[in-house]
Amino acid sequence: MTLELLEGSEAIAASAIAAGCRFFAGYPMSPFTGLLENMSRQLPLAGGVCLNAESEIEGVNMTLGAAAAGARAATGSCGQGIALMQEAIAEAALNETPFVVFNMARNQQDYFQATRGGGWGDYRTITLAPKDVPEAVEHVQLAFHLADKHRAPVIFYGDPLLAQTRIGVSVRPLDFGPLPPKDWALDGTGGGTGGSRQVWTWAMGKATDPGPGPDRHWRAIAEKFAAIDAIESRSEQAHVEDAETLVVAFGSAAKFVEYVVEELRADGHRIGWFRPVTLWPFPGEALAAATADVRRVLVFELNAGQMLDDVRIHAADRSAVRFIGGVSIAESGLAYGELMDAPVIRDRIRTALSEGGRS
Amino acid sequence: MERELVVTGVGGQGIQLLAKTLALAATREGRHAMLSADYGGEMRGGPSKASVVIGDRPLRALPVLASAWSAIVAHHRFSEPALARLRPGGPAILNLPLVDPASLPAMTVYGVDAAAVAKSVEAPQAIGFVLLGAYNAVTRLVDPASLVAAMQELLPPYRRQHAAANARALAAGAAALDVPGADLTEVSR
Amino acid sequence: MTVIDTSQPPSEPARRVADFRPSLLLGEHSLCPGCGEPVALRVLLEVLQELDIVQRTIGVVGHGCYGSFVRIMDVDVLQCLHGRAPACATGIKRVRPDCAVFTMQGDGDMANEGLQEVLHAAARGEKITCVLLNNGVFGDTGGQLTAATVLGQRTKTSLEGRDAETHGYPIPVADLVAGLRGAAYVARGAVSTAGGVAQTKRMLRRAFETQLAGAGFSLVEILTMCPTGWFVPAPEGPGYLGDSMEQAYPLGELTTWRH
Ligand SMILES: Cc1ncc(C[n+]2csc(CCOP(=O)(O)OP(=O)(O)O)c2C)c(N)n1
Ligand code: SF4
Ligand SMILES: [Mg+2]
């Protein structure tokens, strides 16, 4: 396995193309811009199309169109740009158009946006939050797979460290198993046959072949997301067996936490870590089990406490949950602030350890 | 064994290129490398910082290094935060006379007047490569030939004519240090 | 001398023109009596059939009264978000360049919510055909002011009639689009008269021919009657259109691409 020294954005683009992505549209916004530039360089070489869209709204709707026509397609942005896309992401969830949204976020303040969404209707978005570039390469392809498997938009939650770190990685197509055929996709051949296809949030069908209509369709969508919730949550954990304290973190922050926890264990502390790999579905059952015997559950994230809500919902005892994260942004506003740093995280954990937990 | 290097200097000294060259050389040798850059918009004279981690197995190091084994200090300005993370005892290559060796009391310090060395081999633009050549002579993290190959690979077509001068700078940087070697054998692979 | 052989019965029974239905229409529309939009749909479907591209056509339909046409047109269709049809059509066309891709949008959809989308698609020279059904009101939501409402027109949000001081001036979408280099065919027709219907059909045909030839973006703005939104009796719709909208929006071809 030969490693190539690739910048995160470059590796993510290469992995998307290896997954068969053939349409990409986006609007520049740092640190997403690197992915857009890499796609515009790499995608045409693979026979695909990358458009510098005139706005995030256009970008996501172009992507929705390409995906409705059956292509593997993706768009991306961060923060405000993803906010502009919410209407279309919700629409795609409800009209069952699969594509991937790369949120190359500036920080971890988009957790609510990703897991609750700002669109309308009873929908959720599967959200993958890799901890480093090698895992990001895998998650890119998993995102396309899950999108097609469930006919739903999937969010890839990246950050400046994933976008800009250069690391030796190997990008090749990964096989996640068989997928249902895209016989629903619009290819134009249905016209005049009496069986023309439609992609429609209201799902009313054709006059000659009525569909379920919004009531039944939206109930079915809600049931679909409940089923996804039951089967697609992913998590990682370590040292839960003997841990008195469990630190919960996601994405890059989880990699930092893992590093610090290993150091603290070397110093003799009984501490472990837990990482939601999917932010939605949140691995609630796994977290409940992991927190059953601990005295403290520390939540570290670089925002004012967003995942904290999910940890409180699922922890075995919510009174054991303490927040040790916070808002922390670089002066530029484009990257993490000083909280994303092992020594600082170690201090915060040590302070929490010195305070009591539940007995 | 993972080895971390922090490089700190100001824009225009070739900090980013030297870090990338080292990371690529290690990658081409089939090893694991990580490069994190941190520069203030690439302005001339602004802060420029990079870190490189090299290892023989998938890396454990964080993209924001918790601590580092070694350093290349090309300029004293903006260097303080990076130097505060160095583990005592490791090698540090200093660009003389811009950097005062006394600023790194706990490190094994090697000084090189990179500008003078670069000028002496008619490669005045290649200060970063002089420092990299010196660093690699001390640490032997990669084969010197890998550095030359990586340097050439990274040159854009319109800069190809600089390849020979850069190679001279790498070699001159290595030669500028009379390295005892013995006390650093543990760092070679 | 026999000019026409009448020894056999006719091959098809006699029918009134109004009873004729293109085979791509799967059922009756549910719009108001006197509405111009079903007329536009009908000529559009006839053009697809005549060009023999029915089995490689994908439509993208926006939000307005015409939205219900998704149920009765036997064409592969994406019902998209309000205003975004040209962007969706772009994505479709780029991954299926051999298909004919069209949008169907109202003036609220195209001139209000989605003006940016149509202008950029035109500027990109996107090889799609956008069909604007312009009735000068938000018909579907009950007759409010759109960006295309003509000066003086009463709507539920311009009760004393549109005056420029309060509501600004109407946007002539076809004229805007015609000013862009990427637009290869731009025309404005009306379905308020028999002649207008025939002219509109020719325009749609040319628009699709332009797309199929890969010449660039095409747009046909069609002035349609909305007696309900205009608060006039259905039979007066065509005359009202001629007296109001047609005065502000002259009919004809604005940009033509020649083979
Ligand atoms: C985002 C959004 N805003 C508002 C609406 C409500 N809405 C539905 S149809 C319509 C007006 C459509 O007007 P037009 O496109 O002119 O079509 P008409 O009904 O006149 O044919 C509006 C505003 C919507 N569906 N979506
Ligand atoms: S409201 Fe107007 S546009 Fe809508 S169906 Fe009635 S007449 Fe037609
Ligand atoms: Mg209208």
Side-chain angles (χ1 to χ4, degrees):
Chain A
M1 187 178 76
T2 323
L3 299 177
E4 287 294 331
L5 185 71
L6 300 181
E7 192 181 31
S9 295
E10 204 177 354
I12 290 166
S15 190
I17 293 167
C21 178
R22 289 298 175 268
F23 184 88
F24 193 87
Y27 186 89
M29 186 168 182
S30 179
F32 159 72
T33 311
L35 178 57
L36 176 60
E37 290 176 355
N38 274 289
M39 284 306 250
S40 81
R41 194 161 52 232
Q42 296 179 36
L43 201 44
L45 302 175
V49 175
C50 177
L51 292 182
N52 192 131
E54 288 75 13
S55 73
E56 288 84 353
I57 294 175
E58 285 196 55
V60 69
N61 282 287
M62 288 173 178
T63 300
L64 194 158
R72 276 200 163 173
T75 182
S77 185
C78 61
Q80 294 94 326
I82 302 280
L84 285 174
M85 296 182 181
Q86 292 300 323
E87 185 195 21
I89 293 172
E91 184 78 357
L94 298 179
N95 72 20
E96 305 197 273
T97 308
F99 56 82
V100 176
V101 179
F102 289 95
N103 181 4
M104 301 306 290
R106 291 176 173 176
N107 50 51
Q108 296 200 306
Q109 290 176 301
D110 299 349
Y111 182 93
F112 281 155
Q113 185 190 61
T115 59
R116 271 61 172 175
W120 72 284
D122 276 296
Y123 77 103
R124 296 287 200 156
T125 38
I126 298 175
T127 302
L128 295 165
K131 65 175 180 174
D132 58 17
V133 176
E135 191 180 57
V137 165
E138 184 193 328
H139 278 188
V140 168
Q141 300 195 32
L142 180 60
F144 281 103
H145 177 84
L146 291 174
D148 282 347
K149 179 177 171 189
H150 297 295
R151 276 189 71 179
V154 171
I155 294 178
F156 171 103
Y157 195 132
D159 69 8
L161 294 173
L162 291 183
Q164 287 155 6
T165 303
R166 246 170 229 281
I167 190 162
V169 284
S170 149
V171 180
R172 61 217 140 77
L174 303 172
D175 185 5
F176 294 99
L179 287 167
K182 290 192 177 183
D183 48 12
W184 50 266
L186 307 176
D187 63 3
T189 60
T193 63
S196 50
R197 303 174 192 87
Q198 66 183 200
V199 173
W200 192 4
T201 295
W202 264 251
M204 303 220 266
K206 302 275 176 176
T208 47
D209 180 19
D215 181 47
R216 274 201 292 151
H217 178 59
W218 297 349
R219 268 189 272 155
I221 294 287
E223 281 162 21
K224 179 174 91 173
F225 282 111
I228 295 172
D229 191 8
I231 61 169
E232 296 293 3
S233 72
R234 290 160 193 253
S235 62
E236 269 187 11
Q237 61 187 48
H239 313 303
V240 171
E241 321 73 53
D242 72 346
E244 286 185 342
T245 302
L246 193 71
V247 190
V248 187
F250 72 93
S252 290
K255 188 174 174 89
F256 283 62
V257 161
E258 178 181 341
Y259 185 94
V260 170
V261 164
E262 296 304 330
E263 282 186 346
L264 290 169
R265 285 189 71 82
D267 292 346
H269 293 281
R270 286 170 56 189
I271 186 167
W273 55 264
F274 182 93
R275 172 168 79 103
V277 173
T278 49
L279 304 186
W280 193 87
F282 189 80
E285 278 181 30
L287 182 70
T291 54
D293 298 320
V294 302
R295 290 182 60 202
R296 295 180 200 85
V297 180
L298 307 182
V299 178
F300 180 77
E301 52 184 330
L302 281 96
N303 57 43
Q306 299 191 10
M307 180 181 66
L308 178 62
D309 282 11
D310 287 330
V311 175
R312 285 204 176 118
I313 290 170
H314 297 285
D317 175 0
R318 60 170 290 169
S319 72
V321 178
R322 299 275 179 286
F323 184 59
I324 60 165
V327 177
S328 182
I329 311 295
E331 277 305 309
S332 65
L334 306 178
Y336 289 119
E338 54 197 22
L339 195 49
M340 189 66 111
D341 196 8
V344 183
I345 299 169
R346 181 164 44 229
D347 284 350
R348 291 211 170 185
I349 294 177
R350 291 188 69 110
T351 305
L353 292 181
S354 67
E355 292 160 2
R358 73 174 174 142
S359 41
Chain B
M1 173 77 64
E2 273 180 39
R3 287 306 191 190
E4 312 91 358
L5 160 69
V6 294
V7 195
T8 165
V10 300
Q13 287 187 306
I15 303 297
Q16 302 304 328
L17 185 58
L18 91 80
K20 203 167 169 183
T21 303
L22 178 61
L24 182 63
T27 306
R28 290 285 178 259
E29 289 185 359
R31 295 153 77 202
H32 292 265
M34 177 167 76
L35 167 67
S36 305
D38 176 6
Y39 42 93
E42 290 171 274
M43 283 161 9
R44 227 185 156 73
S48 184
K49 207 175 81 182
S51 63
V52 180
V53 183
I54 295 173
D56 295 322
R57 278 183 290 140
L59 302 173
R60 208 185 139 252
L62 299 173
V64 180
L65 290 181
S67 70
W69 169 68
S70 65
I72 294 176
V73 190
H75 203 291
H76 64 88
R77 284 185 71 199
F78 316 116
S79 65
E80 226 171 283
L83 303 188
R85 301 222 156 182
L86 292 174
R87 295 195 295 273
I93 307 297
L94 309 189
N95 185 15
L96 299 175
L98 284 175
V99 185
D100 177 7
S103 62
L104 286 163
M107 305 297 287
T108 310
V109 170
Y110 302 85
V112 53
D113 185 342
V117 172
K119 211 175 278 170
S120 74
V121 293
E122 286 165 38
Q125 304 302 317
I127 290 170
F129 285 117
V130 171
L131 293 169
L132 178 58
Y135 175 81
N136 196 50
V138 171
T139 60
R140 310 222 175 114
L141 281 181
V142 295
D143 188 327
S146 304
L147 284 184
V148 174
M151 175 271 291
Q152 285 170 338
E153 189 179 336
L154 288 172
L155 278 183
Y158 56 90
R159 291 236 175 91
R160 284 277 148 76
Q161 73 274 17
H162 296 315
N166 291 344
R168 287 199 302 277
L170 282 167
L177 288 180
D178 185 12
V179 184
D183 54 330
L184 283 159
T185 43
E186 59 107 4
V187 309
S188 64
R189 311 177 260 144
Chain C
M1 188 183 79
T2 318
V3 178
I4 297 171
D5 180 9
T6 51
S7 60
Q8 299 289 321
S11 58
E12 282 193 54
R15 65 179 184 209
R16 292 180 310 180
V17 171
D19 292 340
F20 172 73
R21 208 165 84 187
S23 62
L24 290 178
L25 265 185
L26 293 171
E28 295 299 328
H29 71 77
S30 49
L31 304 196
C32 307
C35 179
E37 293 182 349
V39 185
L41 172 67
R42 185 172 166 149
V43 289
L44 170 69
L45 296 180
E46 286 172 8
V47 165
L48 296 181
Q49 216 150 19
E50 288 170 18
L51 289 172
D52 196 20
I53 53 173
V54 172
Q55 295 207 354
R56 56 179 178 116
T57 295
I58 302 176
V60 185
V61 177
H63 283 256
C65 291
Y66 47 87
S68 60
F69 294 164
V70 171
R71 299 195 65 240
I72 57 169
M73 52 207 268
D74 195 13
V75 172
D76 283 0
V77 169
L78 167 64
Q79 156 84 62
C80 72
L81 287 168
H82 195 33
R84 314 302 168 210
C88 293
T90 296
I92 294 172
K93 183 72 182 192
R94 293 294 185 119
V95 301
R96 294 203 179 275
D98 295 335
C99 283
V101 181
F102 72 90
T103 74
M104 183 181 280
Q105 307 172 258
D107 49 314
D109 195 87
M110 188 186 279
N112 285 56
E113 195 85 314
L115 187 60
Q116 167 166 345
E117 274 71 11
V118 71
L119 292 181
H120 284 293
R124 284 195 305 272
E126 216 58 69
K127 295 170 189 71
I128 59 175
T129 299
C130 288
V131 179
L132 164 58
L133 306 179
N134 185 3
N135 53 19
V137 283
F138 290 114
D140 204 357
T141 48
Q144 301 82 11
L145 178 104
T146 71
T149 300
V150 294
L151 287 178
Q153 187 175 332
R154 255 182 231 283
T155 71
K156 284 185 181 162
T157 49
S158 59
L159 291 171
E160 302 305 320
R162 178 174 195 157
D163 73 294
E165 186 62 29
T166 312
H167 303 285
Y169 295 91
I171 296 178
V173 174
D175 301 76
L176 274 191
V177 169
L180 297 169
R181 280 273 302 271
Y185 183 82
V186 182
R188 185 183 289 119
V191 290
S192 45
T193 64
V197 172
Q199 185 192 33
T200 301
K201 185 170 168 180
R202 278 196 301 278
M203 291 170 169
L204 283 167
R205 191 183 170 101
R206 286 195 186 162
F208 277 98
E209 284 169 349
T210 302
Q211 176 182 172
L212 295 170
F217 180 84
S218 49
L219 176 133
V220 181
E221 174 175 340
I222 306 174
L223 305 184
T224 57
M225 296 74 76
C226 176
T228 310
W230 297 342
F231 314 107
V232 301
E236 289 175 25
Y240 184 95
L241 188 151
D243 294 342
S244 61
M245 294 190 74
E246 220 179 299
Q247 301 309 310
Y249 300 121
L251 307 185
E253 293 182 323
L254 288 81
T255 305
T256 56
W257 166 82
R258 295 271 168 256
H259 298 270

